[in-house]
Amino acid sequence: MATRAPDRLAAVPPNRPVRPRRSLRRHLVHQLDVKGSPYAYVAPFFLLFSAFGLFPLAYTAWVSLHEWTLLSDEQTFVGLDNFRTLLADDYFWNATFNTLSIGVLSTVPQLLLAIWLAHLLNRPLRAQTFFRITMLLPNVTSVVAVVVIFSQLFGRDFGMINWMLSLFGVEGVAWNEGVLTSHSAISIMIMWRWTGYNALIFLAAMQAVPRELYEAATIDGASGMTQLRKITVPMIRPTIIFVVITSTIGAMQILAEPLLFGSYSISGGADRQYQTLALLIYENFTKLDLGYASAISWMMFVFIVVVAGINYLLTRRAKGGLT
């Protein structure tokens, strides 16, 4: 054994250092930590998302292919029959129109107003913290309280809105009876609740815009509105895209506002004038028709993906954002 040891050492290439086992083990642990730790950190999110996101989505797709009702123990496979019935359902297309109408009326003015408010808060002001906290208060207020108060404001006989309109000679408006009036009232509720929240998101993005750009623009004589259009909006375009997409998704899932505005009417008014897709899904769930309700849910998911994709492309192609 003593004569073979030099041969083994001689067999090792002279340029290759002999690494001790402990050093090699530390190297492997370090490599595993560097390459494996990021996956371990994000694993809880994917586990929760798979359990509460992907699985319900896949299970809903499976239920939508069946005549699934809680009134029967048997669930008959019907394929795409629920979707064929859905495409010929006038209630479905009416709810789709109402959802898009309320979404447009609430999202577009809300984002424009949020950018303007964020631009004002981005300037040197006294009590900035107070104003920023005040902007967030409507979002943390209970949606039930918001809708109840606004329903009183939009009351036909004793509402403050109609009282103010009467000062200008306008007769009382039945806000919850017409299509345009009900959509406008619900949109104002949504705008009041979410404008401040989006304004703070825009304000956070504006804080990262270099101050030198505004100073140079001020020296050149640019007004505040010009600076907003030419400097602020192009610089925060990624944030605008993000807010547009999230607001679109939220607008397509409107449920609480029309439900409470109609005094818990799941039909969205006598003529279904403000029934949204989420309300239509809820109505079919109350009828225990889970297969048809699941089909509506999947169609709403497709609509959200399509509308969000269109908004993303339009916002990306818009030069200078909202100029």
Side-chain angles (χ1 to χ4, degrees), residues 252-292:
M252 294 294 293
Q253 298 175 338
I254 299 172
L255 173 64
E257 287 82 1
L259 177 63
L260 298 174
F261 184 66
S263 300
Y264 296 93
S265 173
I266 59 177
S267 61
D271 298 328
R272 298 179 180 266
Q273 61 268 25
Y274 51 90
Q275 184 184 50
T276 59
L277 286 173
L279 263 183
L280 184 62
I281 295 172
Y282 180 55
E283 180 183 8
N284 282 274
F285 268 111
T286 59
K287 297 178 180 178
L288 306 181
D289 192 354
L290 305 187
Y292 196 66

